[in-house]
Amino acid sequence: MSPSILLERPRALTKLLCNLIFTRDMGGGPRTFPGGVNKWQWKRMHEKRAREKERRLLEQEKQLYQARIRSQVRAKLAGKPDPYSNPDLSMGHGPMSPTDHIKALASRFMKEGAEDLWNEDDGPLKSPPPRGPNERPGFVGPNGRRGSIRSPMDLRKLISEGRENVNFTNPSGNYINKRNYSGQSWRSFRRNESSESEDDDEDYGPLNESPKPSARKLAGNRRDVNWKIPKISGQRPRFSKDENSDSGSGSDFEGESVKYFAGNSRWPRLSVGGGGEEENEGMRDRDRDRGRERGVRKVGSSASLGKYDVKIKKRVPLQSLEEEVDFPLQVELIRRQLSKKSLMDENGGEKRGEESILSQKRFDECGISPLTVKALSAAGYVQMTRVQEATLSACLEGKDALVKAKTGTGKSAAFLLPAIETVLKASSNSTIQRVPPIYVLILCPTRELASQLAAEANAMLKYHDGVCVQTLVGGTRFKDDQKRLESDPCQIIVATPGRLLDHIENKSSLSLRLMGLKMLVLDEADHLLDLGFRKDVEKIVDCLPRQRQSLLFSATVPKEVRRISQLVLKREHAFIDTVGLGCVETPAKIRQSCLIASHELHFQIVHHLLKEHISQTPDYKVIVFCTTGMVTSLMCLLLREMKMNVRELHSRKPQLYRTRISDEFRESKRLILVSSDVSARGMNYPDVTLVTQIGIPSDREQYIHRLGRTGREGKEGEGILLLAPWEEYFLVEIRDLPLEKVPLPHLDPNIKLKMEDSLAKIDTSVKESAYHAWLGYYNSIREIGRDKTTLVKLANQFCQSIGLQKPPALFRKTAIKMGLKDIPGIRIRK
Ligand SMILES: Nc1ncnc2c1ncn2[C@@H]1O[C@H](COP(=O)(O)OP(=O)(O)OP(=O)(O)O)[C@@H](O)[C@H]1O
């Protein structure tokens, strides 16, 4: 439309402007529907048309039916033979007799499984009122109830004549399914209901059941309980909270469920709460009465059987139930059942000696280089582990993969072997290049893990001359990295994201070398794709060639990670889960227990647990995980004061020290490592006998990884989680894991005094830093960090437990950042 036309035709201009404004306001795309309507109006219009069409068709059917009855009555009055009783007519294509017509309708609608054909307007919404002895349907008696002049056709008889397996009425006049009816009282029938009723398809609602509940209504009324799809037999689809339900009533309900009853004439109301059989019966009567009072329509639509429509049971629409029940919770329940089962299986397997992580397949059968096989044999690897067997062929084929396998099952070798093969293949294919390409990049979250992976890769490369690995991790001099990279060109790099990004952003030659990348591996992928690392990982991935193979490995793959893994993986990647859906994610041979005690007892309890473990385990090797670096430091100092053989490892320590301690702990026995989360993931310290976690881990995944430092390679292990009472909520997150709550041990009062003495000897600055770190850690945990007042109170409890008289002051800036500035109990530094 040219501008001049618009100026000449102001209406066209207005319309165009309206369209523009309208389109923007609605946030939709351009108007593409005829008649100037938007998509919603268009949709509504079509829905309305469809409804009208349906109504018209039903009206036609009704008229046809009435016409048949009229002609039959007329013929009868005129003394003529019933035109529809003519067998020629009824057998042929002519109009049917009313009886046959009803029979036909009945067979169409009343057969088993045909309930799906019933539309929402079918049948009476309320059960027919109880009839007096002289009352008949259709006749309005003096009491206002309907009766009938003529005896109604006995539809039940009609149906039962033609069909064996149809519905019968229960003693209260409601229909039940024949196969469920045994002539008992309705209640006792339900009680004695056998496993026959286990078939969901046989679960029907009562005669006067309202149609399917409105999704919105149900959702609106839903409370945070475990909803269960109820098993209902010949009764109103009833959901009730399990606590009061009569388990002997044969209702088949387990756990909590929703009670759902006809609260208004059309839609059932959903309520949560107790209510046994009696209450429900009473409810039903009340609903019936209410329906009567309001003159609820008692006959169905024209498509129904009119007053003979004694349909009483409408199958609970399974689809709608699936929508209404809390689906994630249903999944969770199933998961838990599977967990239990798998745990039992695993325990059974244990007994049969099936707990080994090894598979039957040998490395020399899987098509990897013989030199690698030789190196593996030298390292004592002959057979593959299960995860290696499950992943190796897909990885060697060049597929992208996301792999989940339990801790300590050999994931590192599972990606290092294909990585080495990739280098060998690429090296043999390439010509001499000016900048030696890096073929494999392995990202991992910690420096110690990077060193460990590089060491493992080097062991596998023992007989491959010319292939080498380098690490790029923080805590070392950047210039040294650069020199190393130049003097000793490598094909495999193991890096932590931060340091690698430094190199990429510094425009070192590394960026150029990464252009030849063939394979990217993310070890501890879920952690690397977590908020802390994701940005760096995204930036790194942006600098890598798109034509590459990507492998993601972890012992935990939460749903969000599965989704965002697409950042790195190709769409058609393989997801290899060797844990199995619904199976316990922790190794079966780790005994897990939990202790709940107030903060002031924590140090004593830790001391007691360690002493006990040492006395029982001559070759003990223990890791004590603390929430933060400074709390780790304090714990280590305290245990050292208590004359225990401890080392500390956390990010506050210089890298050289960290490496030394890590190596020492790997090689040693009879040593306790007090560590922050730097040792939580991937670290393979052999034969750790006990892992203790003090305070809540940052999340469920972190609990699993920390615990996984023990019980590796299918060996036995022990894990103890020590929580303060207010931290107990965390147990819900790990409820599917086999954790046993144990009572508090008896604590020696002398140890308490000794502990207090030892605490007094520790420098106040360490305790103050521990308080600040504690506050920062828990402030970042959603569940408690939101309630600042409570958080500060709890922090002050912790403060007292570490022997500080009053909480140390915070810098104003820090307090503001943490949202704690005006919270009572917080002291601000002047
Ligand atoms: N094929 C094999 N045969 C024998 N031992 C193996 C084999 N593969 C791996 N291992 C050993 O199993 C142990 C655990 O391996 P690894 O550290 O790779 O586990 P992981 O699954 O990566 O654990 P995490 O989830 O904690 O990172 C190591 O000691 C390793 O040497």
Side-chain angles (χ1 to χ4, degrees):
M1 204 179 288
S2 78
S4 57
I5 294 176
L6 285 176
L7 288 175
E8 283 162 23
R9 294 166 59 189
R11 275 187 69 188
L13 178 65
T14 318
K15 203 172 166 189
L16 183 72
L17 284 172
C18 279
N19 280 346
L20 285 172
I21 294 163
F22 180 71
T23 305
R24 191 169 301 161
D25 283 348
M26 294 300 286
R31 193 182 64 198
T32 53
F33 298 95
V37 293
N38 67 34
K39 63 179 175 186
W40 301 114
Q41 288 167 328
W42 179 256
K43 189 168 170 271
R44 273 199 295 276
M45 192 174 81
H46 277 273
E47 281 169 358
K48 195 174 162 200
R49 276 189 198 164
R51 276 199 303 274
E52 277 166 6
K53 192 175 171 189
E54 194 186 340
R55 212 174 302 137
R56 258 200 323 273
L57 284 169
L58 291 173
E59 190 59 33
Q60 276 172 14
E61 195 175 345
K62 182 179 169 187
Q63 281 170 10
L64 204 71
Y65 173 60
Q66 284 171 346
R68 279 178 196 145
I69 298 216
R70 270 200 302 275
S71 63
Q72 196 185 30
V73 169
R74 245 181 264 127
K76 206 170 188 178
L77 288 174
K80 291 180 187 168
D82 183 349
Y84 300 105
S85 61
N86 183 344
D88 292 340
L89 282 174
S90 57
M91 291 297 287
H93 302 287
M96 287 183 207
S97 71
T99 312
D100 287 340
H101 184 79
I102 289 170
K103 244 185 180 177
L105 282 173
S107 61
R108 200 173 126 205
F109 287 105
M110 299 301 288
K111 65 181 167 196
E112 251 181 310
E115 298 79 7
D116 286 343
L117 296 171
W118 300 352
N119 66 42
E120 287 168 3
D121 292 330
D122 276 343
L125 297 173
K126 294 284 151 189
S127 62
R131 289 179 214 138
N134 301 322
E135 284 176 309
R136 287 170 189 162
F139 170 73
V140 182
N143 56 1
R145 286 178 182 166
R146 284 186 168 273
S148 161
I149 302 163
R150 286 197 308 159
S151 284
M153 237 166 290
D154 188 351
L155 182 70
R156 282 164 230 166
K157 205 169 139 232
L158 271 175
I159 295 164
S160 59
E161 272 170 17
R163 182 168 310 285
E164 273 300 296
N165 194 16
V166 290
N167 303 324
F168 283 73
T169 48
N170 68 19
S172 65
N174 288 350
Y175 266 85
I176 57 168
N177 191 284
K178 183 186 173 186
R179 61 180 246 177
N180 286 339
Y181 183 65
S182 60
Q184 297 154 309
S185 78
W186 186 235
R187 181 92 49 89
S188 68
F189 156 71
R190 294 194 70 242
R191 283 217 179 92
N192 296 333
E193 208 172 33
S194 67
S195 56
E196 267 189 305
S197 62
E198 271 164 26
D199 182 1
D200 276 0
D201 286 351
E202 296 300 330
D203 295 340
Y204 297 103
L207 169 66
N208 57 346
E209 189 46 69
S210 303
K212 69 178 173 195
S214 134
R216 236 176 306 127
K217 260 195 181 175
L218 286 177
N221 282 306
R222 195 163 56 214
R223 269 191 8 201
D224 193 16
V225 291
N226 288 341
W227 310 120
K228 292 229 51 160
I229 300 177
K231 291 254 182 189
I232 310 144
S233 295
Q235 241 207 343
R236 175 193 306 278
R238 188 176 60 95
F239 303 73
S240 66
K241 220 175 169 194
D242 197 39
E243 50 205 10
N244 292 331
S245 74
D246 179 3
S247 59
S249 69
S251 59
D252 293 6
F253 290 17
E254 279 171 28
E256 289 178 302
S257 43
V258 186
K259 185 175 67 197
Y260 131 73
F261 57 91
N264 67 31
S265 59
R266 281 295 302 269
W267 300 107
R269 197 150 51 85
L270 177 83
S271 83
V272 180
E277 290 291 289
E278 282 72 26
E279 200 191 321
N280 294 324
E281 290 297 334
M283 202 79 78
R284 210 160 25 223
D285 290 344
R286 274 205 302 283
D287 290 342
R288 224 174 0 231
D289 293 345
R290 226 178 293 157
R292 229 181 288 138
E293 280 159 26
R294 291 184 200 156
V296 175
R297 196 170 56 139
K298 292 193 178 64
V299 286
S301 74
S302 50
S304 74
L305 303 178
K307 62 193 171 224
Y308 300 114
D309 188 347
V310 281
K311 173 195 79 189
I312 33 77
K313 290 189 284 178
K314 182 161 182 172
R315 186 167 59 184
V316 182
L318 291 179
Q319 199 190 346
S320 82
L321 272 176
E322 273 159 20
E323 282 161 16
E324 309 323 338
V325 291
D326 197 330
F327 194 65
L329 275 167
Q330 287 292 326
V331 172
E332 186 57 43
L333 280 169
I334 294 166
R335 262 193 64 170
R336 264 194 260 168
Q337 278 169 7
L338 284 169
S339 297
K340 266 187 211 156
K341 193 175 166 289
S342 83
L343 194 69
M344 276 157 61
D345 289 350
E346 277 174 9
N347 288 338
E350 249 174 72
K351 280 180 205 127
R352 294 190 301 273
E354 288 168 12
E355 189 45 34
S356 164
I357 59 163
L358 295 176
S359 74
Q360 296 299 316
K361 207 163 179 188
R362 297 163 59 95
F363 283 110
D364 53 12
E365 299 168 338
C366 66
I368 56 171
S369 144
L371 289 179
T372 315
V373 176
K374 195 177 163 192
L376 286 169
S377 306
Y381 296 9
V382 180
Q383 278 168 272
M384 288 196 233
T385 65
R386 288 165 203 246
V387 62
Q388 288 157 7
E389 188 191 358
T391 55
L392 204 61
S393 59
C395 295
L396 290 177
E397 277 169 29
K399 281 186 190 151
D400 278 14
L402 171 59
V403 180
K404 179 180 170 185
K406 287 186 190 181
T407 51
T409 54
K411 290 188 288 298
S412 314
F415 60 74
L416 286 174
L417 290 174
I420 291 168
E421 290 305 306
T422 300
V423 174
L424 297 177
K425 196 171 150 195
S427 306
S428 65
N429 290 344
S430 75
T431 51
I432 293 168
Q433 289 166 356
R434 205 163 51 85
V435 276
I438 289 160
Y439 293 125
V440 176
L441 172 63
I442 301 169
L443 291 178
C444 62
T446 61
R447 300 165 189 181
E448 285 76 17
L449 182 54
S451 307
Q452 181 183 295
L453 292 174
E456 201 169 339
N458 273 325
M460 291 179 193
L461 290 168
K462 191 173 173 185
Y463 301 106
H464 289 286
D465 293 333
V467 182
C468 71
V469 188
Q470 278 194 18
T471 56
L472 288 179
V473 296
T476 56
R477 284 180 52 193
F478 190 80
K479 281 253 153 53
D480 288 350
D481 277 354
Q482 281 182 323
K483 268 191 211 154
R484 227 170 358 107
L485 284 170
E486 278 162 25
S487 64
D488 189 8
C490 60
Q491 296 84 359
I492 302 174
I493 279 193
V494 188
T496 50
R499 176 53 64 97
L500 181 71
L501 202 59
D502 285 349
H503 279 278
I504 290 173
E505 285 174 350
N506 265 292
K507 306 233 178 323
S508 67
S509 61
L510 189 75
S511 309
L512 203 58
R513 291 181 62 193
L514 282 171
M515 284 298 104
L517 194 85
K518 302 280 179 212
M519 180 189 277
L520 169 70
V521 179
L522 264 58
D523 191 16
E524 309 301 335
D526 58 328
H527 196 36
L528 290 177
L529 294 172
D530 220 14
L531 286 180
F533 282 109
R534 195 186 305 163
K535 278 224 165 78
D536 284 357
V537 171
E538 274 181 50
K539 282 183 197 164
I540 292 168
V541 170
D542 281 348
C543 302
L544 303 177
R546 281 174 182 238
Q547 280 302 321
R548 57 158 204 269
Q549 181 183 10
S550 305
L551 301 175
L552 271 57
F553 279 74
S554 184
T556 48
V557 181
K559 254 185 271 162
E560 322 78 80
V561 171
R562 184 125 169 62
R563 239 176 290 134
I564 56 169
S565 63
Q566 315 281 343
L567 281 173
V568 184
L569 295 168
K570 288 191 201 91
R571 230 152 69 128
E572 58 283 2
H573 67 270
F575 177 45
I576 302 169
D577 180 359
T578 62
V579 178
L581 184 71
C583 294
V584 182
E585 288 177 289
T586 49
K589 284 195 177 173
I590 305 180
R591 268 175 297 126
Q592 300 176 53
S593 52
C594 173
L595 272 160
I596 312 287
S598 56
H599 284 301
E600 68 261 24
L601 294 177
H602 278 198
F603 289 122
Q604 279 182 73
I605 292 174
V606 173
H607 178 265
H608 175 91
L609 292 173
L610 292 175
K611 278 280 178 203
E612 198 179 53
H613 184 76
I614 290 168
S615 68
Q616 291 166 0
T617 323
D619 281 341
Y620 69 91
K621 191 162 172 178
V622 181
I623 305 182
V624 177
F625 280 107
C626 298
T627 46
T628 72
M630 286 321 295
V631 177
T632 303
S633 210
L634 175 66
M635 177 69 81
C636 184
L637 288 174
L638 186 64
L639 293 175
R640 193 167 289 150
E641 283 293 334
M642 299 293 289
K643 310 276 179 283
M644 299 193 94
N645 191 17
V646 286
R647 302 285 183 276
E648 66 180 303
L649 190 59
H650 54 85
S651 58
R652 301 282 185 127
K653 290 284 179 193
Q655 190 50 45
L656 270 178
Y657 175 91
R658 280 170 64 170
T659 311
R660 183 165 59 78
I661 296 296
S662 178
D663 291 344
E664 184 189 355
F665 189 66
R666 184 174 290 109
E667 304 303 325
S668 65
K669 283 202 186 321
R670 293 180 288 282
L671 191 60
I672 298 166
L673 180 71
V674 186
S675 178
S676 68
D677 275 340
V678 293
S679 312
R681 284 175 172 258
M683 293 312 295
N684 184 43
Y685 297 121
D687 304 319
V688 171
T689 51
L690 171 69
V691 164
T692 311
Q693 307 188 38
I694 320 294
I696 30 176
S698 54
D699 49 31
R700 170 195 161 81
E701 284 71 38
Q702 205 68 349
Y703 171 83
I704 293 171
H705 285 274
R706 283 165 156 196
L707 181 84
R709 296 317 96 205
T710 183
R712 296 174 77 73
E713 302 172 57
K715 291 180 186 159
E716 297 212 334
E718 189 180 352
I720 302 175
L721 175 64
L722 175 58
L723 299 177
W726 67 271
E727 293 175 305
E728 224 181 313
Y729 74 87
F730 178 73
L731 295 179
V732 177
E733 278 190 47
I734 50 172
R735 61 187 178 273
D736 59 326
L737 303 180
L739 230 82
E740 191 194 346
K741 231 178 185 178
V742 291
L744 286 187
H746 175 72
L747 299 171
D748 185 348
N750 294 328
I751 297 292
K752 186 175 182 251
L753 295 175
K754 247 182 157 181
M755 204 74 148
E756 281 166 2
D757 279 355
S758 302
L759 257 178
K761 285 183 199 159
I762 295 171
D763 202 281
T764 311
S765 66
V766 176
K767 295 181 207 165
E768 287 183 351
S769 302
Y771 164 85
H772 289 147
W774 192 99
L775 198 57
Y777 175 75
Y778 283 100
N779 192 42
S780 70
I781 289 188
R782 203 162 30 103
E783 283 80 0
I784 181 69
R786 273 184 302 210
D787 181 359
K788 308 285 181 200
T789 314
T790 312
L791 172 75
V792 172
K793 269 188 202 155
L794 294 167
N796 291 350
Q797 275 177 27
F798 173 75
C799 179
Q800 280 164 14
S801 77
I802 58 175
L804 287 173
Q805 298 308 316
K806 55 181 181 184
L810 291 180
F811 283 114
R812 176 176 292 277
K813 224 168 137 185
T814 315
I816 293 171
K817 240 186 188 169
M818 290 167 75
L820 298 173
K821 197 178 82 131
D822 298 319
I823 305 296
I826 283 287
R827 293 175 54 239
I828 305 286
R829 227 177 247 201
K830 295 276 179 301

